[in-house]
Amino acid sequence: MSQPTNQPTCAQALSAAQALGLDRLDAQLLLLHALGKPAIDRAWLLAHDTDPLTDEVAQRMRAFSLRRARGEPLAYIVGCKEFFGLELQVDARVLVPRPDTETLVHWSLEVLQAPAMPARPQILDLGTGSGAIALAIAHSLQVAGRPARVVAVDASAGALAVARENARRLQLELEFSQSNWLDEVGGHFHLIASNPPYVASADPHLVALAHEPLAALAAGADGLEDIRQIVAQAPGHLEPGGWLLLEHSYDQAAAVRGLLLERGFVRIQSRLDLAGIARCSGGQWPG
């Protein structure tokens, strides 16, 4: 049965979304989501731009567009985000994974390839959120045929639920633990990787991130409160020669390297993200 002619077409729905301030790509992805089509079907929209939408789809698209116009992350609306080649389910219980964090994963995998690493390394992801870092490392090692024990830790039970579901869906074996950083963590690891909160609590940029969990973003007056705690605790959970790698803000590299040096780490260095910004710093525990 043909649809009523007064229904908006695909092209009109996209125009209406853009009139609300959405960019074209976001509008296209939201319309595909409203239609129940995968994100890779953008070409379908071009071929069907004059197709009228059903009432149900038009209403969904309008609701999605209004949420996005109010600043809600696209990933929360569509329910997923790609990270390191993996599609992760995300919602308001976790931060949306950022491309910058892939720098931390690349560095972690480089460290794990060192000749001194054991055949089955012990790996800890602190503040796992959606599980992005732990899952990316576990998947990469699985593809390489490398056994490993990967433990994902978060203080939030909600975040751990999201991470567990992502691990189940991706068929990756992880261990999960609820802990405020390393307080409840036992054992020693060859690599501890973390993307902790690192935004200063008074930073005006937090306003634009209001839809994401504040506890996963802000870390005291200078943004280094959680990094200080991790640097202080990590040596008690690192094997001799183990590494601690931390993501941080664009302007914190020198301060983080200083904290690592003061605590007794060696081979301290920083790594640049895709924009050429020192995004991660880390060091090796001597032994």
Side-chain angles (χ1 to χ4, degrees):
M1 181 181 297
S2 62
Q3 298 297 328
T5 56
N6 63 345
Q7 291 300 100
T9 64
C10 287
Q12 289 169 337
L14 292 173
S15 295
Q18 289 177 272
L20 290 171
L22 278 64
D23 64 42
R24 183 166 179 78
L25 177 58
D26 279 9
Q28 289 175 328
L29 293 174
L30 289 176
L31 182 53
L32 287 169
H33 186 55
L35 288 161
K37 294 184 175 295
I40 59 172
D41 271 0
R42 287 170 62 200
W44 185 94
L45 293 177
L46 297 175
H48 295 79
D49 62 346
T50 60
D51 287 11
L53 303 177
T54 65
D55 273 336
E56 183 181 4
V57 170
Q59 289 169 10
R60 276 204 300 267
M61 178 59 180
R62 177 69 177 171
F64 293 160
S65 298
L66 289 171
R67 289 169 63 185
R68 185 72 188 104
R70 288 192 290 265
E72 186 173 350
L74 177 73
Y76 288 170
I77 302 171
V78 302
C80 64
K81 177 70 173 179
E82 189 272 340
F83 180 82
F84 217 79
L86 304 175
E87 185 176 281
L88 302 178
Q89 292 183 353
V90 296
D91 60 34
R93 292 174 289 181
V94 298
L95 288 183
V96 177
R98 268 72 166 176
D100 291 341
T101 302
E102 295 190 358
T103 303
L104 185 62
V105 176
H106 282 297
W107 193 3
S108 296
L109 293 172
E110 180 184 317
V111 162
L112 292 169
Q113 290 171 359
M117 277 288 163
R120 185 176 182 267
Q122 311 283 306
I123 302 157
L124 181 67
D125 173 19
L126 275 180
T128 195
S130 64
I133 294 167
L135 292 165
I137 292 173
H139 179 261
S140 298
L141 293 177
Q142 183 184 81
V143 169
R146 178 97 181 270
R149 175 182 176 235
V150 183
V151 181
V153 170
D154 206 288
S156 164
L160 287 173
V162 174
R164 282 194 181 95
E165 176 57 22
N166 279 322
R168 184 200 65 77
R169 214 172 32 81
L170 294 168
Q171 299 183 338
L172 292 168
E173 284 197 20
L174 267 63
E175 297 177 27
F176 296 93
S177 176
Q178 186 171 1
S179 173
N180 179 40
W181 302 126
L182 287 149
D183 289 353
E184 308 299 326
V185 176
H188 291 75
F189 300 86
H190 301 96
L191 169 67
I192 297 176
S194 180
N195 175 19
Y198 52 70
V199 181
S201 54
D203 192 311
H205 293 97
L206 286 173
V207 175
L209 302 171
H211 291 271
E212 298 187 71
L214 181 63
L217 290 164
D222 62 356
L224 292 169
E225 189 173 293
D226 290 300
I227 289 177
R228 286 191 187 91
Q229 183 174 343
I230 294 168
V231 170
Q233 292 181 326
H237 296 271
L238 281 169
E239 294 283 358
W243 284 82
L244 171 64
L245 306 182
L246 297 160
E247 181 174 332
H248 49 67
S249 184
Y250 71 95
D251 59 353
Q252 292 173 335
V256 175
R257 290 195 303 267
L259 291 171
L260 291 165
L261 180 63
E262 184 180 349
R263 187 65 179 87
F265 284 85
V266 297
R267 298 181 65 187
I268 297 164
Q269 54 198 279
S270 297
R271 291 294 172 93
L272 307 182
D273 62 19
L274 293 173
I277 295 167
R279 180 62 60 184
C280 302
S281 297
Q284 187 178 36
W285 189 242

